[in-house]
Amino acid sequence: MMKAAVWHGVKDVRVEDVELKPTKDNEVVVKVAYAGICGSDLHEYLEGPVFIPVEKMDALTGGQAPITMGHEFSGVVERVGKDVTKVKVGDHVAVNPTVTHMDSADDVDVYDGYSFLGLSTDGGFTELVNVPEVNIYPLPEDFSLRLAATIEPAAVAVQAVKEGGLKFGQKVVIFGSGPIGVLVAAAAKAAGATKIVVVDLSDVRLEKALAMGATDVINPAKVEDTVAAIKEIIPGGADVSFEVAGVQATFEQAIDSTKPRGTSVIVSIFAKPISFNPMQLMNSGVKLTTTIAYSRESFQQTVDLVSQGLLDVAPVITDEIVLDDIVTKGFESLTTDKSQAKILVDLSK
C-alpha cells in the first residue's frame, strides 16, 4: 500500500492508502520524485469534474473516478514491463501525461482526441505510478528532478510560442501572469523576443513575470487604457499576443494590442463562453489561433531546453510541500494566495 491524493468529488480530495494497479507489458513503473499542482488540478478540486471521468470509463485510458491526481511529475524508473525497450531501471525521467490515439508512429497531435494521466487515469500524487513507455522522456542523470517537474507546464508554454510563430527580435504581450503566463514569458525570452510585456491585476504576480523574463509589466488598475499603455511600449502593437487570463476583457485587449496581420494565441481554458464580434479581427487583420497541451515533439524540445538551461523555469517554483498537506497547503493555498505560482509536492523522501 502507498499514500495517494485521490479525487472523489468537488472539494473532496483525500490522501488515502491505495495499491498500484497491475503494470501492463508496455508500461514503466515510475517512482515519483516531485509532482506539481496544476491549474487544471485546482479546477477539478473547486468545480470538477472537468476532465475527470465520473459516469463512465475514459475511452483512451480506461480510467474512472476515484482517480489519483497529478500530471506534472518527474521520477526514477523502478520497474519496466516486458515489452519496454527504450528505458531501463534507474533512468531519471520526465513524464508527458498526454495520452492520444497514436494511430501511427508519427501521430504527435492531440486534436483527434486526448486524455491525461492524473486526470483521466491514475497519476503522480503518489509514490509509484504506471506510465506507458511512449510517455517517458529520459533526462540527464545530473539534472534536477525538482526542476524536471516543471517541464510539463513549460511544454504548454513552448507549444503556445510555436503556435504564435514567434521569430527572433519580435515583440509580445501576455495577458495573465499565473504559472502558465509567466512560463510563456520565459519561453518567449528563450525564443528571442526583445519586448515581453505582461499584463495582470496582481502586482505580486507581475513581479514573478519580471523574474521569468518579462521586460515590462502593466497593471490595468493603474492605467487609464491598457491597450494604449501597451502601444506606448510597443508602438504599432505586438507581433504576437497571448491570452492566458480567460476572460472577455483580456480576449478583446489581446486582439486590439496586436499589430495588423499579427497573431493572437488563446492559451487559457475559458470557464464559460464569451461573446465575440468577428469584425474586431477583420478590421485589424489579426490572425486568431488557439493551443491546447503540446505535441510529443514540443515536449521533447522542452525537455532539451529546460535540461540544458536554455529555458529558465526555476523562478516559477514558489513552494514545496509534503503529500499529507496537499489540500491545505496546496489547493487551498493556490485558491487564496496570489503570490503562489507552482507548488511542488515532494515525494522523493
Side-chain angles (χ1 to χ4, degrees):
M1 299 291 281
M2 57 188 181
K3 282 185 177 180
V6 181
W7 186 93
H8 288 267
V10 171
K11 292 267 185 121
D12 187 9
V13 173
R14 307 172 201 169
V15 177
E16 58 192 21
D17 288 332
V18 301
E19 288 190 8
L20 181 69
K21 292 184 173 69
T23 305
K24 297 174 183 173
D25 292 342
N26 69 334
E27 288 183 332
V28 169
V29 179
V30 175
K31 187 179 190 308
V32 180
Y34 292 89
I37 302 175
C38 176
S40 300
D41 297 325
L42 193 58
H43 278 300
E44 298 288 357
Y45 173 71
L46 294 173
E47 57 200 6
V50 181
F51 290 106
I52 292 177
V54 173
E55 301 297 329
K56 59 182 180 180
M57 290 194 305
D58 182 82
L60 282 174
T61 67
Q64 188 174 3
I67 275 173
T68 298
M69 302 181 75
H71 61 274
E72 304 177 355
F73 61 99
S74 62
V76 180
V77 175
E78 180 98 347
R79 295 197 302 275
V80 299
K82 70 179 184 66
D83 294 340
V84 171
T85 60
K86 295 178 182 176
V87 292
K88 63 186 185 301
V89 172
D91 281 353
H92 289 207
V93 297
V95 174
N96 175 346
T98 311
V99 179
T100 63
H101 288 284
M102 291 295 295
D103 292 329
S104 63
D106 60 353
D107 179 10
V108 296
D109 210 283
V110 299
Y111 292 107
D112 58 353
Y114 62 91
S115 294
F116 288 98
L117 306 178
L119 287 170
S120 53
T121 191
D122 290 336
F125 289 151
T126 188
E127 181 183 341
L128 300 171
V129 58
N130 293 316
V131 180
E133 180 186 20
V134 72
N135 294 80
I136 294 286
Y137 289 69
L139 298 166
E141 198 151 316
D142 59 351
F143 181 68
S144 163
L145 286 171
R146 175 178 173 271
L147 289 182
T150 69
I151 286 174
E152 194 276 345
V156 173
V158 167
Q159 187 72 50
V161 167
K162 290 172 68 176
E163 296 289 352
L166 182 64
K167 296 181 176 66
F168 276 108
Q170 290 191 325
K171 301 173 176 65
V172 306
V173 59
I174 301 163
F175 291 84
S177 60
I180 296 297
V182 298
L183 284 165
V184 171
K189 180 181 180 180
T194 54
K195 278 289 183 185
I196 302 169
V197 181
V198 178
V199 181
D200 199 284
L201 286 164
S202 166
D203 285 337
V204 69
R205 286 193 159 185
L206 290 175
E207 288 174 20
K208 181 62 68 178
L210 288 167
M212 294 290 288
T215 59
D216 302 85
V217 294
I218 295 170
N219 186 327
K222 299 181 179 180
V223 297
E224 283 188 27
D225 184 329
T226 301
V227 174
I230 293 165
K231 290 188 175 179
E232 280 184 23
I233 300 167
I234 309 176
D239 296 285
V240 187
S241 63
F242 298 91
E243 204 300 306
V244 205
V247 294
Q248 174 111 25
T250 51
F251 174 85
E252 294 175 355
Q253 289 168 354
I255 296 171
D256 288 342
S257 59
T258 305
K259 74 175 189 180
R261 295 198 177 279
T263 301
S264 186
V265 185
I266 300 174
V267 188
S268 55
I269 304 292
F270 276 74
K272 57 185 178 182
I274 61 171
S275 62
F276 166 55
N277 183 352
M279 290 304 294
Q280 187 186 5
L281 286 179
M282 294 173 73
N283 287 331
S284 66
V286 170
K287 297 184 286 291
L288 181 65
T289 189
T290 64
T291 184
I292 185 77
Y294 33 75
S295 67
R296 287 167 58 209
E297 177 189 56
S298 292
F299 198 94
Q300 182 62 63
Q301 290 168 342
T302 308
V303 168
D304 297 340
L305 286 163
V306 172
S307 63
Q308 293 174 32
L310 300 172
L311 177 55
D312 183 14
V313 295
V316 80
I317 301 170
T318 49
D319 202 2
E320 292 176 34
I321 62 174
V322 296
L323 187 63
D324 281 333
D325 295 334
I326 194 168
V327 173
T328 54
K329 295 183 179 179
F331 294 123
E332 290 296 334
S333 180
L334 287 169
T335 304
T336 57
D337 185 356
K338 289 287 187 185
S339 71
Q340 293 291 356
K342 183 57 60 183
I343 297 176
L344 298 184
V345 181
D346 184 353
L347 293 141
S348 63
K349 297 177 179 65

